[in-house]
Amino acid sequence: MKFKDYHRSHTCGELRKDHIDKEISLCGWIHRRRDHGGLIFIDLRDRFGITQLVFDPNVSIDLHNEAQKLRAEWVIFIEGRVRSRGEGLVNPKLATGEIEIEVKQMSVLNESITPPFSICDDTIEVRDELRLKYRYLDIRRGEVAKNLMLRHKAMLCIRNFLDAENFLEIQTPLLAKSTPEGARDYLVPSRIYPGNFYALPQSPQIFKQLLMISGMDKYFQIAQCFRDEDLRSDRQPEFTQVDIEMSFKIPDDILSLTEKMMKKVFRECIGTELSTPFPRISHQDSMELYGTDKPDLRFDMPLIRLDDIILESNFDLLKDYVKNNGIVKALCVKNGAELSRKEIDELGAFVGKFNIKGLAWMKKTADGFSSSIVKFFSPDLLLKIQSRLKVEENDLVLIAAESESIVNQGLDHLRRHIAKKRNLFEPSSFKFAWIVDFPMFSKDETTKELKSEHHPFTHPHPDDIGDMNKNPLKVRSLAYDLVVNGYELAGGSQRIHDPDLQKEIFKLLKLTDEDIREKFGFFIDSLKFGTPPHLGIAFGLDRLIMVLAGTDNIRDVIAFPKTQKASDLMMQCPSKPLKGHLEDLKLKATPTEIFWD
Amino acid sequence: MKFKDYHRSHTCGELRKDHIDKEISLCGWIHRRRDHGGLIFIDLRDRFGITQLVFDPNVSIDLHNEAQKLRAEWVIFIEGRVRSRGEGLVNPKLATGEIEIEVKQMSVLNESITPPFSICDDTIEVRDELRLKYRYLDIRRGEVAKNLMLRHKAMLCIRNFLDAENFLEIQTPLLAKSTPEGARDYLVPSRIYPGNFYALPQSPQIFKQLLMISGMDKYFQIAQCFRDEDLRSDRQPEFTQVDIEMSFKIPDDILSLTEKMMKKVFRECIGTELSTPFPRISHQDSMELYGTDKPDLRFDMPLIRLDDIILESNFDLLKDYVKNNGIVKALCVKNGAELSRKEIDELGAFVGKFNIKGLAWMKKTADGFSSSIVKFFSPDLLLKIQSRLKVEENDLVLIAAESESIVNQGLDHLRRHIAKKRNLFEPSSFKFAWIVDFPMFSKDETTKELKSEHHPFTHPHPDDIGDMNKNPLKVRSLAYDLVVNGYELAGGSQRIHDPDLQKEIFKLLKLTDEDIREKFGFFIDSLKFGTPPHLGIAFGLDRLIMVLAGTDNIRDVIAFPKTQKASDLMMQCPSKPLKGHLEDLKLKATPTEIFWD
């Protein structure tokens, strides 16, 4: 084999009219072959594009014969002359569509057996398991490849932006120590200290705060993080975080830095101009108006509280909810009066999945409100409803009652469900917002104890610190989330730099001195050595790329993703340990059998 | 607390003469305090530099009093006016040395207890264990911080270089499958499939080859890698690799790409101009001339084979070595005749550590060679030695005999030892070279079986493929290493893209079909689907930063390094698993007690 055989002069994506009559060489994969009028046409593919080759028996009968043997996904090297495709034969869908190559020499660099699915026909749906098993072929189909290129571009764009802002990328350990951040850690057994374990970090949180203490002001890292959780469709056991931390700054600073970064990323990666500053919505307002702390703001349709009106009405069924600590909220579907009884029933069934037992409804027609519940309201109350919900002719009002959390969850889903069904928004638009003034604590449903809403290093709002012991559930924190189109994209907070305040928080969280020493001992110590005020933010990079790429599936933006059971169908892992390995680690385990395929 | 309190206008590294009379504000740590002639001088430090503050009782007696309470490493915010230091008081060692700040306002942002070692006095040696335990304070001392900034710069420089060359950074999984790459893997237990394990990758080798198969031509990644080995002083259990792979190219291409990258990195990071191309030395020549495959070329002093001369001499002791499959090599120490008998004996003891039993020696004086062994050689043979070793007056010839590997190892060390002791080179110079034409296989000392010298995916030299079965130990591979100043900086190879050739290699390595299926099954399959010719290289990033920073200690270039027992003295990990965690994983272990401190 001569290695010089395949020194290409160009990629398959770069030849244009300007190159006509040039002698060139290309390498690539046989994307498609067509025999046509005595000529053989080959679409040759690499990651840069596709170029059309022509094998003409008048140029070389031998080459033409050889070309007949070529099969899909074989790898070839060719030499030839660039020529115009001629009138009417231009392919405007291809960047190289104005030219083709008259082939004069060819070497087959490698053959291919028949792939398990078609590479060239991306209209064929391939089932997920097969795509993951043959991921290296799935990537060839182009969609994932395009996302990986976008991901590369976004990562580099972020790095250069932060560098220009004087941030340093500093790598932190992956063999670390378990810290209680909510989810379960992945463990790594130590061989030197048998029975002891490292933990793969869920985030570089402790390290980035330590870097602030060390004086490394303005840190960032595009960091691998790990969570051993039961996976939802948009989660992976290993994921990537853009992690940022700085000292001597306040939340306003990091919000505007982030806005500047998003502006640059969206402009450079997908050519979209974002308008900044992003609106800021308090956590309380967001929950009230949208039922969620990650509202989709591409459309309006807020949730409106009707408790007071219901109490004045004769609608006893809903009144009971309000009297028993429940709430009543409504939303107004513009032009929703056109919905049939059956369609409205379907919406009722939809919220039923979220434990709302039914939807009350009223249509506004030229003759006023109509429906079986109108009778419960005086004309005055109906006017109140109309003005509060901004109801116009032909609108539909939907009303739900239950506990606050159930109403919020159900109507958040309903709001997005209706908006999607009724095309109330431009899917490719981006509506960013900051959610601010989060509560510092919430109550754990099972233990009834306080727990951190963000994490235990979050700084309470300076105006609320006095209330912390008296009324902890009313204390706001200096945490902030960035949301876009119903996704949480980033979250962060001002951190506690005062060791006494940190201890007080731990006490409220009922962490014993022993817990604190065991889990954070060294970190609490570190706070005593002159910790600067500091704060940070962390982006889910996978999520950001999903938003940029316009996909709902996290697997579309990761080269080699895992299944929802955290397995890799391609490598077939996890797998049994190699012989002797568990003995080295002094571990005992009984491997369960995994059946692949 | 008002967060606005600490909005600095500048960092501690940026004020100059131009700022004189400006009102500014700074944040930072108390680096040093001096009371002098009624004034208090504070060196205020952040990662950008140091600025001198002056508290003048004539400006504010209250502030002056407060300043007296300040202690080392407290964090303060000040407002004040920039003023000239005045004639004779300029500090040329500081970038801000021409100015100082007349302080008008101050807030203490945080206090500090007394650090376990001095931050401001970097002449004090602090023991390694203490530095690692308080790493966040160690970083404040400046040396590690400087290296981390260099590391950031080098990583970004590499990324932008490779992006400009059309490479894509693609992240590959860290929860992967064990592959036999020589060292022991770190395992990660699976919870969903108890008794099964992921392995943390020793390198992204398989993934980068799969990416070539997937058509993602021109990949790179700055990747975390893991090895559970007993650590040498320049190893860490987790380390970083700059991993590069491309398709349709030959070794010449990647060698020149690498040279271009090194040129840019050394220029931009430390202002050093490298001259390229780097010389290429065959593995055989390198072993012959320097006894190692990573020669330090900052100085000459090659090892010279004397077997033939010894056989013609009467030096029976050494003759026996040659007759019994040993070898004799010598080196010529320029002006070494000045060494005393005692100093020469010390060199003999030095090589003794590498199992060479003694050094024979001759001095060349104005009267010819002198020493007790001169008598064994005829005048003719002495002339031969003289010309072969280029001996001049006042030189010293040192001769060693043993098996080839022992002579090589011992004289490699001796050569570097002498060069260092006698200042034969400029320590801050850089001498790069490529080592090429590695043997494809070597014989495992214990099993006597063939093993891959590089890894089993390395392509044999096309000229030698025919000899593979007949004489495998003579087969060269298409592998290449980049060495500098005695370090291996990078290594790579052309990979096998022919599935039949790959199988043949596995067969020579005595991997059974079952082994192959178990370990590489899916990878061998992937080669059948049109694998392009491809090749790559991987840099040890930590090593590269060490070379750029001029340090021998890998811990100097890592933010939070581990000890040689792979433990983290700061976090105190590995540690016992949290309650219930092993049960979730269905693992049994008996934790050994670790005593920290």
Side-chain angles (χ1 to χ4, degrees), chain B residues 4 38 71 101 117 134 138 167 189 200 214 240 274 279 293 352 399 411 429-430 433 458 470-471 515 531 534 593-594:
Chain B
K4 289 285 177 201
R71 294 288 172 270
I101 312 299
F117 46 77
Y134 295 97
D138 186 36
F167 283 77
L200 298 175
S214 78
T240 308
L274 299 180
D293 57 6
I399 306 171
L411 291 193
S429 65
F430 300 98
T458 306
K470 217 169 47 204
N471 202 346
D515 287 343
T531 299
H534 61 290
E593 210 58 54
I594 307 180

Side-chain angles (χ1 to χ4, degrees), chain A residues 84-90:
Chain A
S84 172
R85 284 211 190 180
E87 291 293 316
L89 297 170
V90 166

Side-chain angles (χ1 to χ4, degrees), chain A residues 40-53:
Chain A
I40 295 175
F41 294 91
I42 299 266
D43 283 348
L44 193 67
R45 186 195 71 236
D46 64 17
R47 83 157 159 97
F48 303 95
I50 285 178
T51 300
Q52 179 166 291
L53 312 180

Side-chain angles (χ1 to χ4, degrees), chain A residues 3-4 6-8 27 29 47 73 75 110-114 136 139-140 149 151-152 155-156 159-160 163 166-169 171 173-177 184-189 191-198 207 210 213-218 224 226 228-230 238 240 248-250 253 462 478 494 497 522 526 528-533 560 562 565-566 570-577 581-582 584 587-589 591-592 594, chain B residues 1 3-4 6-8 27 29 47 73 75 110-114 136 140 145 149 151-152 156 159-160 163 166-169 171 173-177 184-198 207 210 213-215 217-218 224 226 228-230 238 240 248-250 253 462 478 494 497 522 526 528-533 560 562 565-566 570-577 581-582 584 587-589 591-592 594:
Chain A
F3 283 99
K4 290 285 175 199
Y6 51 77
H7 240 157
R8 64 186 168 188
C27 290
W29 286 262
R47 83 157 159 97
E73 300 308 315
V75 188
N110 222 341
E111 301 186 359
S112 171
I113 59 174
T114 305
Y136 47 91
I139 293 173
R140 277 194 203 163
M149 292 182 213
R151 189 174 177 118
H152 161 73
M155 289 196 295
L156 194 62
R159 286 186 158 112
N160 280 317
D163 175 70
N166 245 324
F167 284 77
L168 300 173
E169 183 158 26
Q171 298 161 285
L174 294 181
L175 297 175
K177 186 170 181 167
R184 197 186 286 102
D185 289 317
Y186 277 105
L187 296 186
V188 180
R191 178 177 52 85
I192 298 176
Y193 301 103
N196 289 274
F197 295 81
Y198 307 94
F207 294 115
L210 287 169
I213 295 170
S214 78
M216 298 306 285
D217 193 5
K218 299 201 169 185
Q224 286 314 105
F226 303 83
D228 184 9
E229 287 185 302
D230 297 312
E238 49 183 317
T240 308
F248 306 119
K249 298 279 179 182
I250 59 170
D253 300 316
L478 291 179
Q494 182 88 31
H497 60 278
F522 87 98
S526 74
K528 295 173 190 158
F529 291 100
T531 299
F560 300 105
K562 302 257 184 322
K565 293 192 132 187
M570 179 185 70
M571 306 196 96
Q572 304 196 335
C573 85
S575 59
K576 288 182 198 165
H581 206 146
L582 290 191
D584 285 352
L587 280 184
K588 276 183 196 147
T592 48
I594 308 180
Chain B
M1 183 189 332
F3 282 102
K4 289 285 177 201
Y6 52 77
H7 240 155
R8 64 183 168 192
C27 290
W29 285 261
R47 84 156 159 96
E73 300 309 314
V75 189
N110 223 339
E111 300 185 358
S112 170
I113 60 174
T114 304
Y136 46 90
R140 279 195 202 161
M149 292 182 211
R151 189 174 176 119
H152 161 73
L156 193 63
R159 286 185 158 111
N160 281 316
D163 175 70
N166 246 322
F167 283 77
L168 299 172
E169 182 160 25
Q171 298 160 283
L174 294 182
L175 297 175
K177 186 169 180 166
R184 198 187 284 104
D185 288 316
Y186 277 106
L187 296 186
V188 180
S190 161
R191 180 176 51 86
I192 299 177
Y193 301 102
N196 288 275
F197 295 81
Y198 307 95
F207 293 115
L210 287 168
I213 294 170
S214 78
D217 192 3
K218 297 200 171 185
Q224 286 312 106
F226 303 83
D228 184 9
E229 286 185 303
D230 296 311
E238 48 183 317
T240 308
F248 307 121
K249 298 280 177 182
I250 59 169
D253 300 317
L478 291 178
Q494 181 88 30
H497 60 277
F522 86 98
S526 75
K528 295 174 190 156
F529 291 101
T531 299
F560 300 104
K562 303 256 187 318
K565 291 191 132 188
M570 180 185 68
M571 307 196 95
Q572 302 196 337
C573 84
S575 58
K576 287 180 198 170
H581 207 148
L582 289 191
D584 286 353
L587 280 186
K588 275 183 197 145
T592 48
I594 307 180

Side-chain angles (χ1 to χ4, degrees), chain A residues 8-106:
Chain A
R8 64 186 168 188
S9 64
H10 292 81
T11 70
C12 294
E14 68 182 309
L15 294 171
R16 300 284 183 278
K17 256 176 157 174
D18 298 348
H19 297 93
I20 283 170
D21 285 333
K22 289 234 160 71
E23 299 290 328
I24 58 88
S25 52
L26 296 176
C27 290
W29 286 262
I30 309 288
H31 190 63
R32 208 180 261 117
R33 199 189 83 191
R34 297 183 306 282
D35 294 27
H36 191 72
L39 301 175
I40 295 175
F41 294 91
I42 299 266
D43 283 348
L44 193 67
R45 186 195 71 236
D46 64 17
R47 83 157 159 97
F48 303 95
I50 285 178
T51 300
Q52 179 166 291
L53 312 180
V54 187
F55 291 84
D56 184 338
N58 295 322
V59 173
S60 161
I61 188 76
D62 289 345
L63 258 185
H64 186 268
N65 283 339
E66 270 190 72
Q68 277 182 317
K69 295 177 206 150
L70 296 177
R71 294 289 173 270
E73 300 308 315
W74 286 25
V75 188
I76 63 169
F77 166 81
I78 63 100
E79 292 172 295
R81 190 179 60 86
V82 183
R83 69 186 200 193
S84 172
R85 284 211 190 180
E87 291 293 316
L89 297 170
V90 166
N91 181 348
K93 284 189 219 153
L94 276 188
T96 63
E98 292 188 304
I99 58 92
E100 61 189 14
I101 311 298
E102 184 184 285
V103 178
K104 297 179 174 176
Q105 288 293 341
M106 176 178 74

Side-chain angles (χ1 to χ4, degrees), chain A residues 460-503:
Chain A
H461 197 294
D463 297 346
D464 299 355
I465 286 185
D467 282 346
M468 214 155 56
N469 281 297
K470 217 167 50 204
N471 203 346
L473 288 172
K474 288 275 182 227
V475 174
R476 292 166 299 164
S477 71
L478 291 179
Y480 30 83
D481 274 2
L482 180 63
V483 300
V484 62
N485 298 1
Y487 286 117
E488 181 196 328
L489 205 56
S493 63
Q494 182 88 31
R495 325 298 182 188
I496 296 167
H497 60 278
D498 177 342
D500 294 331
L501 180 58
Q502 184 70 70
K503 269 197 182 157

